[in-house]
Amino acid sequence: MIATSHILTQLTNRLQSGPFSIGQISVTPASDGRVELRHQDDGGRPGGELESFTDPCAARGIAQYDAEGEYRPLKGSPNLKAGWRLDLAGPEEVRIALDIFYPAALAVWAADCGGRLRVVPLSQTLERQTGMYRYARTISPEGARELTRRQCLTGCSRRPIWSELPVHEMGTSGDALPLLCPEACSFFVAEARLVAKAEFEAKATAAPGPAA
Amino acid sequence: MNDLARLADSALLLLGHGSTENPDSSAPTLAHADEIRRRGIFAEVQCAFWKEEPGFSISDYLFESETIYAVPNFISEGYFTREVIPRELGLEGPSTRRNGKVIHYCDPVGIHTSMTRLLAGRARELAPDIPVQETALIIVGHGTGLNAKSTEAIRVQVDRLEALGLGYGQILDAYMEEAPFIADWDQLTPLPNVLVVPFFIADGLHSYQDIPVLLGIESAPTAAASQRDVFRQNPVHLRGRSLWYSRSIGTDPSLVDVILDQVHDFQSAAAAA
Ligand code: SF4
């Protein structure tokens, strides 16, 4: 049952030890048990200047589109819009909001803390793809590293701990609640397929077959 | 109900397709999950998606309950329910045990018999006061070689609707990309009133734009801001008939009951086995 949830216990403990950040969000517990979430770019702004919500599900409206009105299918994209604050009743509501802002992040973090997180290497993820995504497995190691830098390190707030990139490239989380990515996501796989195709076409152009 | 009492210790995982293009695809799945969570039937309710987060493959971490019912919010059996979901969830059959948990894999919502009542209810709501014997009800799907199962699912629904004896003059299936074509709706029936219900899990380009253009309600795909207006013009007087056009069946709030029915059916089948 929810009351005995490891995830919630873990989150409650983290809230008791003071403010922290997760992705682009600052989480600030107050002495009365309420918790405020806001965009880290709004750090110094008076609360009155921000659009305020008390319903944790308001996160859905905030996270759906970026500041330009573009849809955000990848919630880890570092383009969460600013200008809002969530004034929440406690850990349960914080969990609901964070599950919307960064789906599964708390669950993955709790699994990691409990030593239950299974990190899946890219080769395994690509190997099991079928249909049009089968082709993604032919991506070169260098192509995969480049894509990881572009798609994950630059284009996502999560840390791709499944990748072979050196730890120093991935950065550390400091006082942040880590956004761990244990397995390449479907966006990555879709991109990997495109890179693999481009690699194949480049090779075909560079080394044309025997003249007819 | 004993079944419901047992669910209080279990989790529900709703599996949807999702989209990288717009939020409409996952919206009904999220809304149904919210409603089921609100009813407090399960200890935990979560969604996972193929094209959105959280992805299918990390859904294992979402739950602390030992028993998880996974229900595909898909319109028919096919590539996703038979191949992608079992693979990504690491399923070994109807019930998969691992790490002290059991995942029960239910049938997709679209093939449940209670979908038929949902369609009948939607048709009645759409035009409550018209004489049914002078009315054709058309269930419309995509229909391509890509997923023959979705065409089959619609044919089955049409047969079941017929069997309910609702009194409609005609109940027909039609498709965007194969015969009988929905574009020829006025050729498919001579009746003066026509109800069109899209058999999709979510509203999206097909229901907002493509089908309205094929029906002739819109002359060209409409701008995003007015998409929902396409459902507010009923009835449209067109080609000498009165035409009522519905939102996709998967957006109906009663789909929640179909999801729960799939879980109950799984329980009954397991108990019988
Ligand atoms: S694979 Fe990369 S882009 Fe996808 S969630 Fe993980 S870190 Fe983000």
Side-chain angles (χ1 to χ4, degrees):
Chain A
M1 302 286 293
I2 293 294
T4 59
S5 158
H6 301 303
I7 300 172
L8 205 55
T9 312
Q10 199 88 23
L11 177 63
T12 308
N13 292 342
R14 187 65 189 82
L15 286 166
Q16 276 163 359
S17 58
F20 61 90
S21 63
I22 173 169
Q24 292 182 279
I25 296 174
S26 306
V27 180
T28 314
S31 51
D32 61 358
R34 294 195 73 81
V35 183
E36 191 206 56
L37 270 61
R38 59 164 74 188
H39 195 289
Q40 58 188 13
D41 291 354
D42 292 326
R45 291 176 68 184
E49 283 182 13
L50 304 172
E51 196 179 354
S52 230
F53 304 90
T54 52
D55 178 359
C57 292
R60 207 165 273 156
I62 298 166
Q64 202 138 67
Y65 300 97
D66 67 14
E68 271 73 54
E70 289 293 321
Y71 175 51
R72 298 176 69 243
L74 182 67
K75 295 292 179 271
S77 298
N79 58 356
L80 183 68
K81 70 179 174 199
W84 52 270
R85 64 188 279 276
L86 297 188
D87 172 18
L88 304 177
E92 279 99 348
E93 291 196 359
V94 174
R95 181 180 174 188
I96 294 172
L98 290 181
D99 274 351
I100 296 171
F101 282 123
Y102 296 113
L106 291 177
V108 166
W109 168 63
D112 187 47
C113 294
R116 287 177 288 114
L117 192 63
R118 208 170 56 91
V119 176
V120 181
L122 181 62
S123 55
Q124 241 181 61
T125 308
L126 296 184
E127 204 51 46
R128 68 164 198 261
Q129 301 303 314
T130 56
M132 65 190 261
Y133 296 109
R134 265 181 86 85
Y135 203 73
R137 71 183 66 165
T138 66
I139 191 171
S140 68
E142 190 38 50
R145 274 193 293 276
E146 265 319 301
L147 178 59
T148 313
R149 289 190 184 102
R150 168 162 64 86
Q151 170 97 13
C152 306
L153 302 191
T154 314
C156 186
S157 303
R158 296 189 201 249
R159 233 178 330 141
I161 53 174
W162 52 262
S163 82
E164 290 165 3
L165 291 181
V167 176
H168 71 264
E169 272 200 56
M170 287 196 245
T172 49
S173 10
D175 64 347
L177 193 150
L179 277 179
L180 303 175
C181 175
E183 181 171 350
C185 70
S186 62
F187 300 86
F188 189 95
V189 173
E191 284 298 311
R193 170 178 166 266
L194 297 180
V195 171
K197 272 183 87 168
E199 285 178 347
F200 176 80
E201 278 154 20
K203 250 189 249 161
T205 331
Chain B
M1 291 225 296
N2 289 338
D3 282 354
L4 283 179
R6 274 190 284 142
L7 294 180
D9 294 326
S10 307
L12 175 70
L13 172 61
L14 262 188
L15 301 152
H17 189 281
S19 159
T20 55
E21 305 293 328
N22 62 66
D24 298 317
S25 168
S26 56
T29 307
L30 292 168
H32 302 323
D34 285 347
E35 172 58 20
I36 296 172
R37 201 176 288 123
R38 198 192 57 73
R39 293 191 195 176
I41 298 168
F42 294 89
E44 304 168 275
V45 179
Q46 296 280 358
C47 299
F49 298 97
W50 175 233
K51 286 283 162 198
E52 291 179 38
E53 296 167 283
F56 292 152
S57 63
I58 62 163
S59 54
D60 256 14
Y61 299 117
L62 300 174
F63 299 105
E64 309 193 38
S65 311
E66 284 170 13
T67 306
I68 300 158
Y69 290 91
V71 180
N73 194 24
F74 281 76
I75 214 68
S76 65
E77 290 278 19
Y79 176 59
F80 284 100
T81 62
R82 297 243 168 108
E83 193 169 324
V84 175
I85 294 172
R87 180 190 81 211
E88 296 292 306
L89 261 56
L91 302 181
E92 289 154 3
S95 295
T96 303
R97 282 166 212 281
R98 67 165 171 261
N99 308 327
K101 296 190 184 193
V102 56
I103 306 171
H104 297 307
Y105 188 44
C106 306
D107 282 335
V109 293
I111 67 166
H112 196 278
T113 47
S114 59
M115 277 304 272
T116 315
R117 292 207 171 274
L118 201 66
L119 284 167
R122 174 52 70 100
R124 200 172 43 245
E125 264 171 43
L126 198 55
D129 303 319
I130 54 169
V132 285
Q133 63 282 5
E134 286 166 38
T135 302
L137 169 59
I138 305 182
I139 311 299
V140 55
H142 193 272
T144 53
L146 247 186
N147 186 0
K149 288 279 178 192
S150 71
T151 308
E152 188 186 311
I154 293 176
R155 295 216 176 100
V156 168
Q157 289 302 336
V158 166
D159 290 345
R160 287 186 191 148
L161 282 164
E162 288 282 10
L164 284 182
L166 301 167
Y168 285 104
Q170 277 181 300
I171 301 180
L172 304 164
D173 56 323
Y175 305 91
M176 297 168 61
E177 294 195 353
E178 71 179 62
F181 290 102
I182 188 61
D184 303 330
W185 61 274
D186 55 322
Q187 309 294 311
L188 301 177
T189 176
L191 295 170
N193 304 313
V194 179
L195 311 181
V196 175
V197 182
F199 199 65
F200 293 103
I201 219 65
D203 279 324
L205 289 184
H206 293 330
S207 60
Y208 288 142
Q209 304 191 351
D210 303 338
I211 298 173
V213 169
L214 294 170
L215 290 170
I217 301 176
E218 301 290 342
S219 52
T222 49
S226 62
Q227 281 177 343
R228 280 170 190 83
D229 289 344
V230 78
F231 305 114
R232 296 198 189 111
Q233 313 167 1
N234 290 323
V236 183
H237 299 287
L238 204 64
R239 305 184 193 172
R241 320 291 180 81
S242 298
L243 177 71
W244 282 261
Y245 179 54
S246 159
R247 298 187 64 176
S248 290
I249 193 64
T251 64
D252 195 305
S254 301
L255 199 86
V256 159
D257 300 315
V258 185
I259 294 166
L260 298 175
D261 286 345
Q262 281 300 24
V263 173
H264 290 146
D265 278 15
F266 188 97
Q267 290 183 311
S268 313

